[in-house]
Amino acid sequence: MYRPPIWVRVLPALENIFYGANLSNILSAHKHIILDVLAWIPYGVTHFGAPAVCSAILFVFSAPGTVPVFARSFGYANIIGVAIQLLFPCSPPWYENMYGLAPANYAMEGSPAGLAAIDKLFGIEFYTTTFTASPLVFGAFPSLHAANATLEALFMSHVFPKLKPLFILYTLWIWWATMYLSHHYAVDLVGGSLLAGVTFFIAKANFLPRLQYDKIFRWDYDYTEVGDAPAGYSYGLADLDADFHHPGADSDEWTVGSSTSVSSGSISPVEDGHSLWEGETLASNSDSEQGR
């Protein structure tokens, strides 16, 4: 059975070309139990629970149909990421720390690397056993930890734009943790985040329901539209209200035009006492008023 050769030198070389040093080795040079725990939380805990938490939040606070798009985007990004890892197997930083740049083979076992400190802290061998028996030892590029965190951050920022700095901070936390634990090079993280970004923007342009910012919960939506809005597109009473209230203009001097004139932006001012329409205007008196 044919299996692609394992690339041992590519990622360290790219790391030096792009950043001038091995950032993973720099970040992991100084170990401390507090740093071990801070790296373990996002890498070994929240990484696995975040998709479910994000799905639940998106279900309640985003437009109907958002969660299925998130789930499909998450699935496609991970399928593509694993396919790249299988076709382009690369060794992670822990391999370089253990074996240098010696050729690798598929018979080699994986390593928990920095997560071994967590096993020691809790007196267990969970991560040691899991990573040693990993079926994908040389899946360093792209980092699916980075891809998943970035995809979650993009969807959550789409729904909660004011909280974008918080989601960016979480993604950077994942980036730091993966390098501190010697599981990924920085170039792996960039590759994973780029994969997530491409996946999100394709989904947003074609499948993701548009937000209506005057709505809070999914149950507030009367209708949904998908994909990016056309240039100059607007919707909702708030947009029409903005058209009716121009600075320096009196609201009594604007006619109640037809839906065609409203949508085309051709609402016209009228002179006092004169209407361009046969029907009633805001400036005219109704029959009931005349009869008073």
Side-chain angles (χ1 to χ4, degrees), residues 108-141:
M108 290 180 166
E109 294 182 338
S111 170
L115 288 173
I118 301 300
D119 282 350
K120 182 179 179 180
L121 175 65
F122 293 111
I124 58 176
E125 293 187 355
F126 175 76
Y127 292 105
T128 300
T129 302
T130 301
F131 281 93
T132 299
S134 173
L136 192 55
V137 174
F138 300 103
F141 182 89

Side-chain angles (χ1 to χ4, degrees), residues 244 251-257 267-270 275-277 281-282:
F244 278 110
S251 61
D252 289 342
E253 295 182 354
W254 294 87
T255 63
V256 181
I267 305 174
S268 305
V270 296
S275 173
L276 297 179
W277 301 92
T281 68
L282 290 178

Side-chain angles (χ1 to χ4, degrees), residues 213-226:
Y213 290 102
D214 58 331
K215 307 295 193 296
I216 298 177
F217 304 105
R218 63 177 285 116
W219 301 279
D220 296 332
Y221 284 76
D222 298 318
Y223 66 93
T224 58
E225 298 173 285
V226 300

Side-chain angles (χ1 to χ4, degrees), residues 30-113:
H30 303 286
K31 296 287 188 178
H32 192 279
I33 189 60
I34 295 178
L35 295 177
D36 294 338
V37 173
L38 287 176
W40 164 67
I41 290 172
Y43 191 88
V45 180
T46 62
H47 167 72
F48 299 99
V53 173
C54 289
S55 295
I57 295 173
L58 293 173
F59 179 81
V60 174
F61 295 102
S62 63
T66 300
V67 174
V69 175
F70 171 68
R72 286 193 293 270
S73 300
F74 192 88
Y76 286 132
N78 278 268
I79 290 173
I80 294 171
V82 171
I84 295 173
Q85 292 174 350
L86 291 172
L87 296 173
F88 182 59
C90 296
S91 59
W94 61 258
Y95 180 90
E96 183 181 0
N97 295 337
M98 293 176 65
Y99 305 107
L101 298 178
N105 62 76
Y106 287 103
M108 290 180 166
E109 294 182 338
S111 170

Side-chain angles (χ1 to χ4, degrees), residues 137 145 232 284:
V137 174
H145 276 75
S284 64

